[in-house]
Amino acid sequence: MASKPTKSTVLIIEDEHSIAKAQELILSEKYTVHLAHDGLSGLEKVKQIKPDLVVLDIMMPKMSGFEVCKEIRKEPGLSSTKIVMVTAKNQDKDEALGMELGADDYIMKPFEPEELLHVIHQVLQR
Amino acid sequence: MSQTITVIDVYHGLNRFLGTIPGELAKNAFELILFTLVTYMVASEWTRSRDEHKERLQWLIWGFGFLSAIKLLSTIALSYLVLGGLQSPLLFSHVSILDNVFEILAVIMISIGFLQPVVSDRHPTLLPRRRYFIMGFILLGGGLFLLLSGTIKTHLHIVELYRPAFFEFNLAKLLLSVGVIFYIISHKKAFLSYSRYYPNVIHALVVYAITPILHIINLAIYNNQSGELLVLAQPFPFIAVLLFTRVIFLQLADKAALYDELARTEAKYKKEKELSDLKDDFVSVVSHELKTPLTAISLWSSLFLKNKLGKVTKAQKDAILIIKKETTRLSSLINDVLDLSKLEKGKMEIKPQQNNLRTICNLDSFRALAQEKKITLTNSVPEHILVRVDAERFTQVIYNLVSNAIKFTEPGGKIVLSATQQNPSTIITITDTGIGIPPEKISGIFSKFYQVDNHLTRKAGGTGLGLSISKHIVELHRGTITLQSTLGRGTTFTITLPNIVRN
């Protein structure tokens, strides 16, 4: 019996519901998508469901994307989880900081659906 | 009991020694060293002070300078006497007279130095009449008696080898001290707000006044015969000067402590400001707030277009394409505004690296547009030129200039991008055969929101920020950007980049 290859799990941590839903719609065809709307609950979900990749917005209330990234990287059990950060390119150092904290790649707002799919596909291949 | 007597004996012995010529020499030499040190201390503080404090210190420098000078004179004169040279009591008496005169002048100057900040007009609460009265009293008292003493001096031929106890001098000193003390007390509040050490100044003056009082008593009651009183009166002027010096020293120490405190507070403030700036930096906040809804609009338009929300008709597709185009336009406007904001605040960092100029000046993305407008676009930048530039930002500049050229050139026109590398700079030119810029508009062309108003700009839109941003970026690279234009014939923009750009 041929088994269908399981879809990778992607967790989207984004506080703007409109963007989160759009991202879910874009990705749900190829991946199993979960959502979280702030850093704290996002971190909980990461530990809970252990997704293959996290799409992480930077500017979030309570806990910024940078902090979530740091926390994920602290967990030994999550070392294989990939992280893609979503930046609005506020400072030129946003990307550098993200990479330093352990993100695998980043994508800049505003982006096209293809760009998101492309980056996620690339990162999951690594 | 016997111990106490011994102490008093020692004190007397010391004082008697100080009454002799070698003793006098020792005392003067010691005072010379002290006064010179204090003068130096105040003078070096003077060089480091701001102008408003300099005047006060100047009085102190003069005062202590006078004291140093007379002590030097005394030391020299007494050395002659001690070393057995001149046996001239007259020299000694002349020096003693000078000593007293200089001392009075020094005390006046030091008093003015300490009183100065309150005496000057910075404290308008002082009643002018009282101020002038007291100051006049002091100066009058001192002056009168100096005059009197000068007259009397000429009638004196022989002077005791002990410190001369001229009644006039001593009265002048007493009146001076008391006058200044009264002055300070009558303006206690003003003085205390200036420095908390003013009570110490009063103490110093009180101590200083003891000697003249004792000398006056000696003269009036004992007819200048009491050696005891003379000897007793010895140390007080010296102690008074030590107390004055202490006040100066305390004020300087306070000043140093304040500077330290200020430096620490400044450092703390800077650090906190940086942290707070990071949090609500205009660029960060605006960037996020503006780009977030833009992202939402863009994403949902794309999803619409891809039939993810149901099949779209051609009319719907065209409408959505317009929405997407406007979103793109809005996005580049936001980027322009944010870039300019960063540049104007000096917050844009460029990372210059060695780059091939031809690669940076890649015009492929303009080919389609140029073809559409039937404009000939030529890239004649040589292959081999290397420049130290921030690739992303410098490309932004080139793109801005080329897109302007395309915007303002009519169909059939030509645009040429070329460069030469010379020493010490590399020169890049963008020449078009477009409509040109009127001469009166040329000077303002790089200012923000500036647009030469004509049918082409109105059609093409734009923020008017592109040239302003380009100029900032070129200048961040330590380069210059200039233009030449002839109305109806064309425009040439020239960028000059120094070959060495320091980070």
Side-chain angles (χ1 to χ4, degrees):
Chain A
M1 192 168 79
S3 55
K4 257 202 335 213
T6 42
K7 286 199 229 173
S8 308
T9 10
V10 174
L11 171 65
I12 301 173
I13 308 179
E14 163 69 66
D15 64 316
E16 288 285 329
H17 289 244
S18 55
I19 298 183
K21 267 210 80 74
Q23 286 172 325
E24 187 187 10
L25 201 50
I26 296 169
L27 298 176
S28 54
E29 213 180 318
K30 280 183 110 184
Y31 307 103
T32 310
V33 179
H34 296 264
L35 290 178
H37 294 297
D38 66 79
L40 275 168
S41 63
L43 201 54
E44 281 300 307
K45 274 212 166 147
V46 174
K47 295 184 195 168
Q48 208 185 354
I49 60 175
K50 299 210 200 319
D52 298 301
L53 186 140
V54 178
V55 177
L56 189 48
D57 186 32
I58 292 186
M59 289 281 241
M60 287 192 290
K62 291 191 225 158
M63 207 177 177
S64 81
F66 290 132
E67 291 170 316
V68 176
C69 185
K70 254 203 310 199
E71 290 301 313
I72 293 178
R73 284 300 171 234
K74 275 195 204 159
E75 294 280 324
L78 299 172
S79 54
S80 59
T81 309
K82 307 270 193 269
I83 301 177
V84 172
M85 305 203 77
V86 181
T87 96
K89 194 156 206 274
N90 307 326
Q91 317 273 8
D92 300 296
K93 13 187 171 94
D94 271 2
E95 293 100 48
L97 185 56
M99 300 313 238
E100 248 177 78
L101 290 172
D104 292 278
D105 211 330
Y106 65 92
I107 186 169
M108 288 194 294
K109 284 195 235 187
F111 52 83
E112 292 297 308
E114 299 84 50
E115 288 176 55
L116 183 63
L117 280 166
H118 179 77
V119 169
I120 290 179
H121 183 75
Q122 289 277 34
V123 171
L124 281 174
Q125 300 277 48
R126 294 188 206 158
Chain B
M1 196 59 189
S2 56
Q3 270 203 318
T4 352
I5 297 175
T6 315
V7 168
I8 294 180
D9 281 342
V10 170
Y11 177 73
H12 274 294
L14 185 64
N15 262 329
R16 249 180 234 113
F17 168 67
L18 289 174
T20 64
I21 300 217
E24 191 82 19
L25 172 63
K27 189 165 82 105
N28 275 289
F30 191 69
E31 285 174 337
L32 170 65
I33 294 171
L34 175 71
F35 296 152
T36 313
L37 275 172
V38 175
T39 312
Y40 172 71
M41 191 167 82
V42 183
S44 61
E45 186 57 30
W46 181 84
T47 56
R48 297 187 323 165
S49 286
R50 288 195 304 251
D51 285 335
E52 58 244 36
H53 296 142
K54 281 198 169 177
E55 201 188 334
R56 176 174 83 87
L57 290 171
Q58 247 162 318
W59 285 109
L60 292 176
I61 294 172
W62 276 107
F64 281 103
F66 263 48
L67 288 174
S68 311
I70 190 55
K71 290 306 161 189
L72 182 63
L73 258 166
S74 294
T75 310
I76 294 173
L78 284 166
S79 307
Y80 269 135
L81 282 170
V82 167
L83 296 173
L86 309 158
Q87 281 290 336
S88 168
L90 212 57
L91 169 71
F92 183 55
S93 76
H94 279 298
V95 171
S96 287
I97 291 165
L98 267 175
D99 190 40
N100 277 282
V101 170
F102 272 47
E103 191 180 303
I104 293 174
L105 288 174
V107 172
I108 293 174
M109 283 186 262
I110 294 172
S111 299
I112 295 177
F114 278 111
L115 296 177
Q116 216 266 333
V118 179
V119 164
S120 66
D121 289 336
R122 253 174 270 131
H123 289 258
T125 51
L126 291 178
L127 300 165
R129 273 178 67 200
R130 212 200 308 184
R131 181 204 320 181
Y132 290 135
F133 171 70
I134 297 272
M135 286 311 289
F137 181 77
I138 293 171
L139 293 171
L140 195 63
L144 255 177
F145 286 107
L146 284 177
L147 207 59
L148 265 173
S149 69
T151 321
I152 291 178
K153 179 199 95 178
T154 58
H155 295 295
L156 271 164
H157 298 294
I158 292 174
V159 177
E160 290 168 28
L161 291 177
Y162 293 114
R163 203 182 207 336
F166 293 125
F167 182 77
E168 297 78 15
F169 285 138
N170 283 291
L171 194 56
K173 291 178 196 177
L174 182 60
L175 287 170
L176 254 175
S177 321
V178 173
V180 175
I181 292 173
F182 277 168
Y183 188 78
I184 294 177
I185 292 175
S186 67
H187 298 99
K188 197 165 90 160
K189 281 213 189 91
F191 276 112
L192 279 178
S193 71
Y194 176 73
S195 154
R196 51 194 172 124
Y197 299 116
Y198 273 94
N200 301 65
V201 175
I202 295 179
H203 298 158
L205 287 165
V206 167
V207 168
Y208 181 75
I210 294 177
T211 303
I213 292 174
L214 290 176
H215 284 165
I216 289 170
I217 294 175
N218 186 14
L219 281 164
I221 300 178
Y222 296 98
N223 209 17
N224 207 18
Q225 293 307 312
S226 173
E228 285 293 330
L229 269 178
L230 278 176
V231 157
L232 200 66
Q234 288 280 13
F236 294 103
F238 185 64
I239 297 173
V241 172
L242 283 178
L243 289 173
F244 273 124
T245 310
R246 181 168 170 267
V247 175
I248 297 175
F249 175 71
L250 285 170
Q251 287 183 321
L252 289 180
D254 268 358
K255 194 170 162 189
L258 272 173
Y259 273 138
D260 260 350
E261 181 80 34
L262 188 66
R264 261 181 283 127
T265 311
E266 265 183 3
K268 201 169 131 198
Y269 168 74
K270 247 192 181 166
K271 185 130 187 274
E272 306 245 314
K273 190 163 189 289
E274 255 179 54
L275 284 168
S276 135
D277 274 355
L278 261 163
K279 251 190 279 177
D280 42 33
D281 179 48
F282 175 77
V283 171
S284 294
V285 173
V286 170
S287 182
H288 178 254
E289 295 302 321
L290 291 179
K291 290 194 184 181
T292 299
L294 208 57
T295 309
I297 296 171
S298 174
L299 281 177
W300 285 102
S301 309
S302 298
L303 287 171
F304 225 137
L305 219 49
K306 292 184 195 315
N307 299 312
K308 296 272 184 171
L309 305 169
K311 194 149 168 56
V312 287
T313 65
K314 171 127 197 349
Q316 287 170 340
K317 190 172 172 199
D318 288 341
I320 297 165
L321 281 169
I322 292 173
I323 294 175
K324 283 212 67 87
K325 193 165 136 223
E326 294 303 308
T327 321
T328 313
R329 198 169 136 215
L330 195 55
S331 183
S332 60
L333 287 179
I334 293 173
N335 282 326
D336 274 358
V337 169
L338 291 174
D339 273 352
L340 196 59
S341 172
K342 266 197 263 182
L343 284 163
E344 285 185 341
K345 291 188 186 174
K347 285 189 176 175
M348 183 180 280
E349 294 172 7
I350 55 162
K351 301 182 189 67
Q353 282 180 327
Q354 203 83 310
N355 277 292
N356 184 307
L357 188 59
R358 177 88 193 199
T359 320
I360 291 187
C361 297
N362 185 320
L363 300 179
D364 290 347
S365 44
F366 290 105
R367 297 283 168 201
L369 182 59
Q371 210 168 26
E372 202 184 301
K373 282 193 80 175
K374 300 201 182 357
I375 297 172
T376 323
L377 184 58
T378 314
N379 189 342
S380 49
V381 173
E383 293 277 356
H384 62 274
I385 297 183
L386 292 173
V387 284
R388 267 191 80 84
V389 291
D390 181 315
E392 187 193 334
R393 294 296 176 188
F394 203 73
T395 311
Q396 196 177 347
V397 174
I398 301 288
Y399 276 26
N400 173 248
L401 293 172
V402 171
S403 87
N404 277 350
I406 294 179
K407 212 191 276 185
F408 294 106
T409 304
E410 312 260 67
K414 280 205 291 203
I415 299 172
V416 178
L417 170 65
S418 73
T420 56
Q421 187 156 57
Q422 298 162 9
N423 200 357
S425 10
T426 305
I427 302 183
I428 304 157
T429 58
I430 295 113
T431 312
D432 66 57
T433 56
I435 60 171
I437 304 165
E440 66 270 14
K441 305 267 186 184
I442 291 185
S443 54
I445 206 81
F446 291 110
S447 31
K448 57 188 181 196
F449 303 123
Y450 196 93
Q451 282 185 310
V452 177
D453 194 31
N454 55 41
H455 65 286
L456 284 170
T457 49
R458 247 176 274 128
K459 225 173 44 178
T463 53
L465 293 176
L467 282 176
S468 179
I469 293 174
S470 300
K471 181 162 186 271
H472 274 288
I473 293 177
V474 168
E475 283 170 358
L476 272 180
H477 284 87
R478 306 269 197 279
T480 57
I481 178 167
T482 57
L483 77 101
Q484 267 171 288
S485 185
T486 316
L487 205 53
R489 300 276 289 276
T491 311
T492 302
F493 276 90
T494 310
I495 300 174
T496 311
L497 276 179
N499 289 331
I500 304 166
V501 176
R502 269 185 250 106
N503 270 10

